[in-house]
Structures are given as C-alpha cells and as structure tokens.
Amino acid sequence: MPIELDSPREFFRRYPDFGAVFVRTALGAHLILASCPLLLVEGPRLELVSYLESIGISRSTIGLMMAVSQLAGVAVALPASALSNVLGRRAVMAIGMALAAAALLTFLPGNLLLLFVGVAALGAGGQMVNVAQIPY
C-alpha cells in the first residue's frame, strides 16, 4: 500500500513552524559537526545572549555578564600561558574545555549568581583554549 504524501502547501499549512525549526536544526548540526571541539568554548555569543533574554534576564545584566566573561578571560590568560609551558598545551586545552563544559551546567534558569559564575567560567575556559592553541 503506497504512502500518500501531502502537497507542500498542505504540509506547510499543517506545520507552519517547520521551516524555521528545520533551518535552526540544520544550522545547529552544521555548527556541531564543523567545530565540535571549539563549540563548547567559543560558541556564538549571540545564542547565549538570546538564551539569557529568553529566561528573563535584563539587557543591562546580560551586558554585565559578558563583561565578566571577558574579564575572567583576561585574568586567566597569563597563568594559562605559563601553565601550558609546564603541563603542555594539550593539557591546558583539555582543562579549558572541561571548564567550559562544566560552565554549561550553570545555565539552567534559577539562580542569577550561579549564571554569573557560569559565564565567568565559560570566558576563562575559552581563553585557556585560545592561549594554548595559538602555536598550533
């Protein structure tokens, strides 16, 4: 028995959000496949800002969070560089990626202070990876 398919017009009338969902899913899959190791560390900041807005954080607080993230990266850059000379660059990159991965756990809505800590850890982890990967 053959399967009857809807016409494209009928399909999009029945599922009006399909196009937007498909584009987001395809774009997300492309980003994951293209830059999987660095996606945890240097993911698009725009998505983070959009997420923070969606859970009710004000724009001024988001701006402060992004500043804290950059300051954490500045604070960790020199020690991470010195540590990479002692432990090796790959070890420092792995520590930075682990720190960034752990930071993602703090992005669940609920506690604003925990979000600040997570954004700072994400900035620090990203900078650790950036400092260690430059010679490669």
Side-chain angles (χ1 to χ4, degrees):
M1 181 171 174
I3 299 173
E4 293 184 21
L5 299 175
D6 291 335
S7 69
R9 179 174 287 162
E10 180 66 30
F11 180 81
F12 286 111
R13 191 166 10 109
R14 187 179 299 170
Y15 305 104
D17 294 332
F18 178 79
V21 171
F22 179 79
V23 169
R24 283 187 297 222
T25 304
L27 182 61
H30 172 72
L31 288 174
I32 289 170
L33 294 175
S35 59
C36 191
L38 295 178
L39 187 62
L40 287 174
V41 178
E42 288 299 322
R45 299 274 184 207
L46 181 60
E47 290 179 3
L48 177 59
V49 170
S50 297
Y51 169 71
L52 292 173
E53 280 184 339
S54 74
I55 62 171
I57 307 288
S58 70
R59 287 189 177 193
S60 59
T61 305
I62 292 171
L64 186 60
M65 283 182 176
M66 294 299 111
V68 166
S69 173
Q70 295 301 315
L71 288 173
V74 168
V76 80
L78 190 59
S81 178
L83 192 62
S84 72
N85 290 333
V86 174
L87 297 178
R89 297 191 186 284
R90 289 183 183 162
V92 171
M93 288 173 67
I95 293 168
M97 286 185 195
L99 182 61
L104 294 177
L105 297 175
T106 66
F107 291 153
L108 298 173
N111 190 343
L112 189 61
L113 180 62
L114 192 59
L115 277 171
F116 268 100
V117 170
V119 169
L122 188 64
Q127 188 61 29
M128 288 177 76
V129 172
N130 286 339
V131 166
Q133 80 176 357
I134 289 175
Y136 291 115

